[in-house]
C-alpha cells in the first residue's frame, strides 16, 4: 500500500484474490494523516447500505463516524482522529433491508476478553525481536532431513493457576518453554489461537482470524512467547482453520446482512456435523482474506508452520453431511473444485514468501499427492498427518495381547505406503477426548501392563519413519482422558509409574535427537529396512533405521506381548559388537529390568536374510534399541 488510504492497486488485487497482505490495508491501523494522529478503519461489506464505526471514542454512537465506500465492490474507509490503542470498536452495519448489525472487525489484531465481543485497536509494529539466529539457522536447515518431534499443546489446560485462571503468554514463555526444552522436543504445536467465543471449541471455531486470543494476554505477549521458543531452539507450529467458521452474531456469518464469507447456497455453506459455515473459496476477497491470514502469522508472529485443520472437509462438498443433503460440483463429482484450487494457491503463496515454512495437512482421506508440489500435480503441502498409521496402531494396541497375533498386519501395513507422502505420525488431542480414553487407559491389561504397553508404543513410534507428534499429558501417562476445562493431572508425577513414564519419554526424545538414523532419511526408502516383519505368532517386529553414513544404524525390536524371551535371535547386517542403547523395560522406567548388558557380539550365523545374527533378550511388552559399534566393515552385507 503506497498511501494511508487504500489505493486502486490494493483494491484491485483484493477483489482479484491476490492481495496477500490484505491485513495491511483492511482493519484498524493507528496512523497520522495530515499531521493528525488517529486510526484508519477499512472493511469489506459490499451488501451494506451504510457502515459506521462505533466504539469507546464516540460512546457507541455511529452517527458521528459514517464510513465512505471507496470501491465498487464494497470496501469502506474512515479515518477517526484521536482514537488510541486499546480502545474498543465495532462496525455498525445498515443492511439492505435496514436492519442494524454490530460486527467485530474481521481483520482486528486484538479482541475484547470474553464474554465481550468487541475488537480493540492495537499496533503490531515495534516488537524487539531477538530471534535472528533462529531465522538464519532455519534458512540453512533441511526440514526433511532434520529431527522433528512435536509437543501438541492446548495453552488453556496445560497448566492453570491455583485459582483456576489461565497462565499468561509470558508465564508460559518461561515455564512451558523450559519444560519442552528439557523433555527434548523440537517443536510446540498450539491448538488454534485465533480469537474464539467458546472455550470448549478449543479454538477450532473462530471469529477473529487475525486476533491472537486475549485469554492469555496481548499480541506483544504472544510475540514474546514465540521469541522465547526460538531462543530455546524450539519451533512454533499453530493449528489453522480455513475450512469453517462459527455462527456467532458478532462474527463472519452474514457479515453485511447477506452471505459474504460463506457460500450463498446454504447446501454448500453448512458444515452440518459441526454447526459451522464453510468459507466460500469461489469469492476472490475470501481467498485474499485467508491467504493473507496464513502469511500474517508467519510475518507478524514469526511462527514456523501451520497445521491446516480438517483438509478433508475442504476437499469434499459432502463431508460430514447426511446423504439427503449431498450436492455435486459442476462436473458431477463431490470434490470442492474451488477449495482445491484455493489450497494449491495457498501453499504456493506461503512458500513464495516463506520458503522454510512448515505446511502440514490434517487429512484423513487417501487423496493422492498431498505433499507433492503443485507443479507436479500435488496439493503443495510439505507434510501430512499419517492418520492411517494412527488408526491402525491404536486399534492394534487396544487389543488384548493374546489376540494381536491375528491382527499383525495393523503393525506392518503402514510400511506399504510410508513413502507415498511426507508424514507426521500423530498421537494427538483428538485421540484422547469424547470417551476415547487416554492413551494409557487404551492399553489393555493390569496397571503394569498399561504402562509397559504405552512405552512399547512410544518406542515403536519413534523407530517408525516419519516425524513425530504427541499431545500434552501423554508423556507422563495421563490416566484420564483430556479434560478440556481443567489442567493436566500433574499430581500424577508423585507416583513412580508416571514419573518413570516421563523419564522414559525424555530419554527416548534425547535418543531421537542424537541418532540421525531416526530422522535423516525419514522420507527415503533407503532409511529403513525390515529384519523380520513376520513373527506374528509372538507379535514381535524387528527392523533397522539408517542414515546417510553406512555405519550409522539402529536396530529396533518391539515385543507387543507380555512374554519374556530370554534367547531370541535376530539377523544383523554386519559382524562386530552391538550395545543396547535404550530399553523401555528398564527398571528406572517402571519395567521389569530385563536388559542386554555389555557388548553383544554378532556371530557368523545367517538369520532373517542377514549374513550375521545376535542372540538377545526380548523383554515383555517392550521396545529395545540396539546400536552397532566396532563394526567389521569388510564383512558388512552389500545387499
Amino acid at each position: 500500500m503506497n498511501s494511508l488510504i487504500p489505493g486502486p492497486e490494493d483494491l484491485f488485487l483484493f477483489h482479484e484474490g491476490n492481495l496477500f497482505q490484505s491485513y495491511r490495508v483492511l482493519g484498524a491501523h493507528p496512523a497520522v494523516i495530515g499531521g493528525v494522529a488517529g486510526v484508519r478503519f477499512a472493511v469489506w461489506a459490499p451488501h451494506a447500505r451504510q457502515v459506521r464505526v462505533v466504539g469507546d471514542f464516540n460512546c457507541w454512537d455511529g452517527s458521528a463516524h459514517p464510513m465512505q465506500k471507496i470501491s465498487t465492490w464494497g470496501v469502506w474507509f474512515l479515518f477517526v482522529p484521536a482514537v488510541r490503542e486499546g480502545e474498543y470498536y465495532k462496525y455498525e452495519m445498515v443492511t439492505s433491508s435496514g436492519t442494524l448489525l454490530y460486527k467485530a472487525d474481521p481483520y482486528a489484531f486484538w479482541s475484547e476478553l470474553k464474554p465481550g465481543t468487541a475488537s480493540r485497536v492495537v499496533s503490531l509494529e515495534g516488537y524487539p525481536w531477538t530471534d535472528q539466529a533462529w531465522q538464519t539457522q532455519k534458512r540453512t536447515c533441511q526440514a526433511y532431513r532434520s529431527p522433528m518431534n512435536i509437543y501438541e499443546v492446548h495453552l488453556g489446560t496445560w497448566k492453570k493457576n491455583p485459582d483456576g485462571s489461565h497462565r499468561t503468554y509470558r508465564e508460559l514463555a518461561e515455564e512451558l518453554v523450559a519444560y519442552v526444552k528439557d523433555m527434548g522436543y523440537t517443536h510446540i504445536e498450539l491448538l488454534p489461537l485465533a480469537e474464539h467465543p467458546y472455550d470448549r471449541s478449543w479454538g477450532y471455531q473462530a471469529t477473529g482470524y487475525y486476533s491472537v486470543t486475549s485469554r492469555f494476554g496481548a499480541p506483544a505477549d504472544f510475540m514474546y512467547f514465540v521469541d522465547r521458543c526460538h531462543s530455546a531452539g524450539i519451533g512454533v507450529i499453530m493449528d489453522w482453520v480455513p475450512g469453517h467458521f462459527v455462527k456467532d452474531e458478532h462474527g463472519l456469518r452474514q457479515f453485511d446482512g447477506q452471505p459474504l464469507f460463506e457460500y450463498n447456497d446454504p447446501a454448500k455453506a453448512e458444515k452440518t456435523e459441526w454447526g459451522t459455515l464453510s468459507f466460500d473459496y469461489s469469492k476472490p476477497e475470501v481467498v485474499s482474506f485467508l491467504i493473507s491470514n496464513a502469511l500474517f502469522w508467519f510475518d507478524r508472529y514469526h511462527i514456523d508452520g501451520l497445521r491446516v485443520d480438517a483438509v478433508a472437509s475442504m476437499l469434499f462438498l459432502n463431508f460430514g453431511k447426511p446423504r439427503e443433503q449431498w450436492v455435486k460440483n459442476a462436473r458431477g463429482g463431490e470434490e470442492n473444485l474451488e477449495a482445491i484450487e484455493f489450497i494449491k494457491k495457498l501453499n504456493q503463496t506461503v512458500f513464495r514468501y516463506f520458503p522454510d515454512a512448515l505446511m502440514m495437512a490434517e487429512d484423513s482421506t487417501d487423496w493422492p499427492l498431498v505433499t507433492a508440489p503443485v507443479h507436479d500435480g500435488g496439493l503443495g503441502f510439505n507434510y501430512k498427518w499419517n492418520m492411517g498409521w494412527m488408526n491402525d496402531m491404536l486399534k492394534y494396541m487396544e487389543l488384548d495381547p493374546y489376540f494381536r497375533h491375528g491382527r499383525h498386519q495393523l503393525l506392518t501395513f503402514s510400511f506399504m505406503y510410508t513413502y507415498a507422502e511426507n508424514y507426521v505420525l500423530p498421537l494427538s488431542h483428538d485421540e484422547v477426548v469424547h470417551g476415547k480414553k487416554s492413551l494409557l487407559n487404551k492399553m489393555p491389561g493390569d496397571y503394569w501392563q498399561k504402562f509397559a504397553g504405552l512405552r512399547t508404543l512410544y518406542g515403536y513410534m519413534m523407530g517408525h519413519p516419519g516425524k513425530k507428534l504427541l499431545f500434552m499429558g501423554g508423556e507422563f501417562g495421563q490416566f484420564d482422558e483430556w479434560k478440556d476445562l481443567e489442567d493436566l493431572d500433574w499430581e500424577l508425577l508423585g507416583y513412580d509409574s508416571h514419573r518413570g513414564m516421563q523419564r522414559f519419554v525424555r530419554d527416548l526424545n534425547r535418543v531421537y535427537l542424537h541418532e540421525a538414523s531416526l530422522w535423516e532419511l525419514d522420507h527415503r526408502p533407503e532409511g529403513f529396512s525390515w529384519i523380520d516383519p513376520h513373527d506374528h505368532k509372538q507379535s514381535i517386529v524387528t527392523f533397522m533405521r539408517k542414515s546417510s553414513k553406512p555405519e550409522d544404524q539402529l536396530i529396533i525390536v518391539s515385543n507387543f506381548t507380555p512374554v519374556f524371551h530370554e534367547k531370541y535371535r535376530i539377523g544383523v547386517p554386519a559382524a562386530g559388537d552391538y550395545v543396547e542403547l535404550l530399553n523401555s523395560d528398564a527398571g528406572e522406567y517402571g519395567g521389569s529390568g530385563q536388559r542386554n548388558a555389555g557388548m553383544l557380539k554378532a556371530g557368523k550365523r545367517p538369520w532373517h536374510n542377514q549374513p550375521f545374527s545376535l542372540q538377545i533378550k526380548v523383554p515383555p511388552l517392550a521396545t529395545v534399541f540396539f546400536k552397532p559399534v566396532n563394526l567389521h566393515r569388510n564383512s558388512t552385507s552389500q545387499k
Side-chain angles (χ1 to χ4, degrees):
M1 189 174 71
N2 298 321
S3 66
L4 293 173
I5 299 175
E9 182 178 354
D10 297 313
L11 297 173
F12 175 80
L13 291 172
F14 177 67
H15 295 303
E16 286 289 307
N18 293 318
L19 187 62
F20 300 137
Q21 292 182 324
S22 59
Y23 52 89
R24 297 179 182 269
V25 176
L26 287 95
H29 299 266
V32 178
I33 298 181
V36 178
V39 173
R40 57 178 176 86
F41 296 90
V43 65
W44 176 51
H47 304 117
R49 184 189 302 173
Q50 180 56 268
V51 183
R52 301 185 278 257
V53 181
V54 295
D56 295 336
F57 42 84
N58 60 17
C59 298
W60 299 87
D61 179 3
S63 63
H65 293 111
M67 302 185 78
Q68 177 187 0
K69 185 182 280 191
I70 60 172
S71 87
T72 306
W73 303 280
V75 172
W76 300 75
F77 177 83
L78 179 67
F79 175 74
V80 182
V83 177
R84 297 166 300 188
E85 286 198 45
E87 293 200 63
Y88 298 98
Y89 71 98
K90 280 188 176 182
Y91 295 116
E92 182 182 70
M93 304 274 181
V94 182
T95 70
S96 59
S97 64
T99 303
L100 282 182
L101 300 176
Y102 293 89
K103 291 288 190 175
D105 187 349
Y107 282 89
F109 297 153
W110 195 13
S111 300
E112 185 178 9
L113 186 63
K114 69 178 186 73
T117 59
S119 302
R120 296 187 74 177
V121 174
V122 67
S123 172
L124 300 185
E125 304 292 342
Y127 179 82
W129 289 97
T130 63
D131 65 346
Q132 292 80 10
W134 169 265
Q135 300 297 347
T136 299
Q137 177 269 336
K138 195 166 65 170
R139 285 192 291 271
T140 61
C141 175
Q142 299 180 43
Y144 297 132
R145 297 172 66 89
S146 300
M148 188 185 300
N149 189 12
I150 304 165
Y151 187 61
E152 187 187 34
V153 176
H154 179 256
L155 291 182
T157 55
W158 182 72
K159 192 174 284 190
K160 288 180 177 287
N161 293 318
D163 64 358
S165 62
H166 292 308
R167 295 280 213 272
T168 67
Y169 290 123
R170 289 183 179 266
E171 290 169 336
L172 291 163
E174 307 306 326
E175 190 172 6
L176 174 58
V177 172
Y179 180 77
V180 169
K181 184 68 173 178
D182 176 66
M183 288 297 296
Y185 292 99
T186 64
H187 292 73
I188 296 176
E189 181 176 307
L190 303 170
L191 270 62
L193 292 179
E195 194 58 76
H196 52 284
Y198 183 48
D199 285 348
R200 302 198 75 175
S201 76
W202 316 329
Y204 288 98
Q205 296 187 6
T207 50
Y209 273 72
Y210 288 83
S211 181
V212 66
T213 181
S214 56
R215 286 165 172 80
F216 315 115
D221 299 325
F222 182 60
M223 293 176 185
Y224 178 81
F225 175 86
V226 175
D227 211 14
R228 291 291 295 169
C229 287
H230 289 170
S231 295
I234 296 166
V236 179
I237 302 165
M238 194 183 84
D239 279 17
W240 186 58
V241 190
H244 62 120
F245 57 89
V246 74
K247 293 181 177 180
D248 291 57
E249 286 298 318
H250 68 283
L252 300 179
R253 176 179 177 269
Q254 296 203 1
F255 183 74
D256 57 2
Q258 298 182 40
L260 187 63
F261 288 89
E262 67 269 39
Y263 284 103
N264 298 334
D265 179 358
K268 290 183 71 173
E270 289 288 338
K271 293 285 191 188
T272 309
E273 187 175 20
W274 299 322
T276 55
L277 294 169
S278 173
F279 282 103
D280 183 351
Y281 310 102
S282 69
K283 292 175 182 154
E285 296 87 353
V286 172
V287 172
S288 286
F289 174 84
L290 287 173
I291 293 181
S292 293
N293 186 241
L295 295 178
F296 167 83
W297 293 100
F298 291 102
D299 176 24
R300 295 303 193 181
Y301 289 107
H302 289 205
I303 68 161
D304 304 288
L306 293 174
R307 176 265 199 185
V308 181
D309 179 65
V311 170
S313 77
M314 300 168 68
L315 293 174
F316 293 99
L317 293 167
N318 300 315
F319 178 89
K321 293 182 179 180
R323 182 172 287 274
E324 62 270 16
Q325 294 180 14
W326 282 15
V327 296
K328 295 185 181 295
N329 62 35
R331 301 174 185 172
E334 294 184 39
E335 301 85 3
N336 188 329
L337 301 177
E338 56 265 24
I340 294 165
E341 291 309 307
F342 161 75
I343 290 170
K344 293 177 180 179
K345 186 173 183 177
L346 164 72
N347 286 318
Q348 287 177 310
T349 307
V350 168
F351 290 122
R352 184 190 316 155
Y353 285 90
F354 298 96
D356 307 306
L358 300 171
M359 292 295 289
M360 299 179 168
E362 189 263 319
D363 175 30
S364 56
T365 75
D366 58 358
W367 191 278
L369 303 177
V370 171
T371 58
V374 173
H375 62 259
D376 286 338
L379 291 181
F381 293 97
N382 53 5
Y383 280 99
K384 174 182 175 174
W385 277 24
N386 193 336
M387 310 295 280
W389 173 88
M390 178 273 298
N391 282 312
D392 283 352
M393 280 308 303
L394 293 182
K395 187 181 299 182
Y396 181 82
M397 295 305 300
E398 289 185 87
L399 291 170
D400 186 305
Y402 181 81
F403 298 106
R404 286 177 178 167
H405 67 91
R407 303 298 304 276
H408 195 70
Q409 76 281 1
L410 293 173
L411 273 183
T412 59
F413 179 68
S414 60
F415 292 96
M416 301 295 290
Y417 62 86
T418 195
Y419 301 108
E421 304 279 3
N422 302 322
Y423 280 119
V424 175
L425 308 182
L427 293 174
S428 76
H429 67 280
D430 279 327
E431 309 318 313
V432 294
V433 290
H434 301 322
K436 296 179 183 178
K437 299 184 291 189
S438 69
L439 292 177
L440 179 65
N441 211 12
K442 292 179 193 289
M443 303 297 113
D446 58 25
Y447 203 64
W448 185 91
Q449 289 180 343
K450 285 180 179 294
F451 280 93
L454 188 56
R455 292 193 302 269
T456 305
L457 170 60
Y458 288 162
Y460 181 73
M461 172 185 180
M462 200 62 82
H464 193 293
K467 308 309 183 186
K468 325 297 177 188
L469 179 143
L470 181 65
F471 184 56
M472 64 181 196
E475 76 277 11
F476 61 81
Q478 173 98 0
F479 199 84
D480 290 340
E481 67 178 24
W482 176 39
K483 301 182 285 289
D484 56 14
L485 293 178
E486 303 174 27
D487 57 2
L488 297 179
D489 295 332
W490 293 102
E491 63 275 10
L492 292 175
L493 289 174
Y495 297 90
D496 290 342
S497 296
H498 296 276
R499 201 162 52 245
M501 177 67 75
Q502 185 189 52
R503 181 174 181 178
F504 170 69
V505 172
R506 182 189 291 113
D507 288 353
L508 180 65
N509 289 349
R510 290 175 178 175
V511 167
Y512 174 76
L513 287 175
H514 187 262
E515 297 295 330
S517 60
L518 291 174
W519 39 262
E520 187 186 11
L521 301 179
D522 255 333
H523 311 300
R524 296 170 59 180
E526 56 266 36
F528 171 88
S529 63
W530 279 115
I531 290 176
D532 182 18
H534 301 303
D535 192 0
H536 63 92
K537 291 183 178 179
Q538 299 181 99
S539 299
I540 297 175
V541 290
T542 308
F543 57 91
M544 192 183 324
R545 294 299 307 276
K546 311 170 192 176
S547 80
S548 58
K549 299 177 181 178
E551 69 275 12
D552 189 8
Q553 305 170 358
L554 283 181
I555 292 172
I556 298 160
V557 182
S558 291
N559 176 14
F560 291 93
T561 74
V563 178
F564 169 48
H565 302 271
E566 188 168 7
K567 295 180 180 181
Y568 189 87
R569 186 165 294 277
I570 61 172
V572 293
D577 298 323
Y578 293 73
V579 295
E580 182 184 273
L581 186 64
L582 186 72
N583 185 333
S584 71
D585 189 55
E588 59 264 35
Y589 305 140
S592 64
Q594 299 297 335
R595 305 292 299 271
N596 291 274
M599 292 286 185
L600 306 174
K601 189 170 294 292
K604 195 171 183 179
R605 181 178 176 184
W607 205 261
H608 292 147
N609 294 316
Q610 302 291 333
F612 302 91
S613 60
L614 285 174
Q615 185 171 279
I616 61 172
K617 291 181 181 178
V618 176
L621 285 174
T623 294
V624 186
F625 288 53
F626 295 95
K627 187 175 178 67
V629 293
N630 305 320
L631 289 184
H632 302 167
R633 296 180 184 233
N634 61 348
S635 63
T636 301
S637 171
Q638 300 301 309
K639 293 183 180 180

